[in-house]
Amino acid sequence: MNTIAAEWTKVWSVRSTWWTVLAGLLVTAATAGQLAIYAANANTNDDPADDAGVVTVGSVVIGSVELTQYAVLALGLLVITSEFTSGTIRTTLQCTPSRGRVLLAKAAVTGAVTFALGLLLGAVGAAVARPVLGRWGTAPAAETLADIAAVAVYLALVGVLALGLAAALRSAVLTLTVLVATLMIVPLSLQEPDIAVLNRIADAFPGVAGTHFLAGDTDPYPAAVGLLLLAGWAAAALALGRFALRRRDA
């Protein structure tokens, strides 16, 4: 518990945390507002082919995650890369020699912070989208809360994924590059030819699995499987980070 308390204090004592939270709030508000405007305009323009009809506020919140997640990824990876950059990781490991315990404490704090941040971002996105949608939006309480909770779970898992990769790679830029490739570029490249076997491979990547989870899909697998796949990627990243921490000097 002392290790977790120490990590909690460190997270909130650095300015990068507050900047990423602010960035997440601004990006969420802007993206949710923009998506809501698009949905409303599609129903009121002269082209009936793009009419979206009445959409749920939760779907707009989920749509905004595609951009918002990068602020959360930055928060997750900076939890440890900032210590490598400043050299404070040596002090951390002197206080807690067990590198696995240090990483697990960081993961617990990162998961808790990004989950809470996800709830806040979801609430902000819903608050922005509802009035913009007007009569073209609906916000059933139970469904909206479930969508916000799903967003929070997704962001917590990608935050832990970012932490694990950052522990292995040590560089913020390199970690962010790998994350963008893993979450977006590689699966999109696999899906582009629309070949069944490549689509199946893409469906196993964390970003695609998370999308299926958030959308509540049943094809190509249930939403729960998407959640398990995403959680598996986060666990694998932590295992890789723990292995790297134990094999290399701080």
Side-chain angles (χ1 to χ4, degrees):
M1 290 302 294
N2 289 337
T3 306
I4 292 177
E7 293 300 330
W8 180 269
T9 300
K10 280 191 285 187
V11 163
W12 293 111
S13 63
V14 295
R15 285 179 293 180
S16 60
T17 298
W18 297 101
W19 281 116
T20 52
V21 168
L22 178 60
L25 290 170
L26 293 176
V27 172
T28 296
T31 306
Q34 186 177 38
L35 292 175
I37 291 171
Y38 287 163
N41 287 347
N43 289 304
T44 55
N45 62 21
D46 296 329
D47 184 5
D50 64 356
D51 287 359
V54 176
V55 300
T56 64
V57 168
S59 68
V60 174
V61 172
I62 288 172
S64 69
V65 169
E66 185 173 349
L67 287 179
T68 302
Q69 65 179 332
Y70 290 103
V72 176
L73 291 173
L75 192 158
L77 65 89
L78 286 171
V79 166
I80 192 164
T81 56
S82 60
E83 289 202 60
F84 283 124
T85 301
S86 64
T88 55
I89 189 67
R90 297 186 185 90
T91 303
T92 297
L93 295 177
Q94 286 173 352
C95 295
T96 308
S98 172
R99 301 186 179 203
R101 191 190 308 170
V102 167
L103 189 58
L104 286 177
K106 288 183 180 294
V109 171
T110 300
V113 170
T114 51
F115 179 81
L117 178 58
L119 294 177
L120 175 61
L121 296 179
V124 168
V128 171
R130 185 64 188 94
V132 175
L133 286 170
R135 65 192 180 96
W136 299 111
T138 180
E143 185 177 341
T144 303
L145 290 174
D147 287 336
I148 291 174
V151 165
V153 170
Y154 173 81
L155 292 178
L157 288 173
V158 296
V160 172
L161 171 64
L163 170 70
L165 285 178
L169 300 175
R170 300 192 174 202
S171 164
V173 174
L174 179 58
T175 301
L176 187 58
T177 301
V178 172
L179 285 168
V180 171
T182 304
L183 291 171
M184 183 181 298
I185 296 175
V186 174
L188 284 177
S189 299
L190 290 170
Q191 291 169 336
E192 185 63 29
D194 197 22
I195 299 173
V197 65
L198 296 181
N199 288 336
R200 297 290 80 80
I201 295 172
D203 286 331
F205 274 71
V208 180
T211 299
H212 289 313
F213 162 63
L214 291 172
D217 289 340
T218 57
D219 182 52
Y221 44 68
V225 174
L227 175 61
L228 289 174
L229 282 171
L230 179 57
W233 276 87
L238 282 179
L240 180 62
R242 182 175 182 271
F243 175 79
L245 279 175
R246 293 183 65 184
R247 294 279 293 183
R248 295 183 297 191
D249 292 334

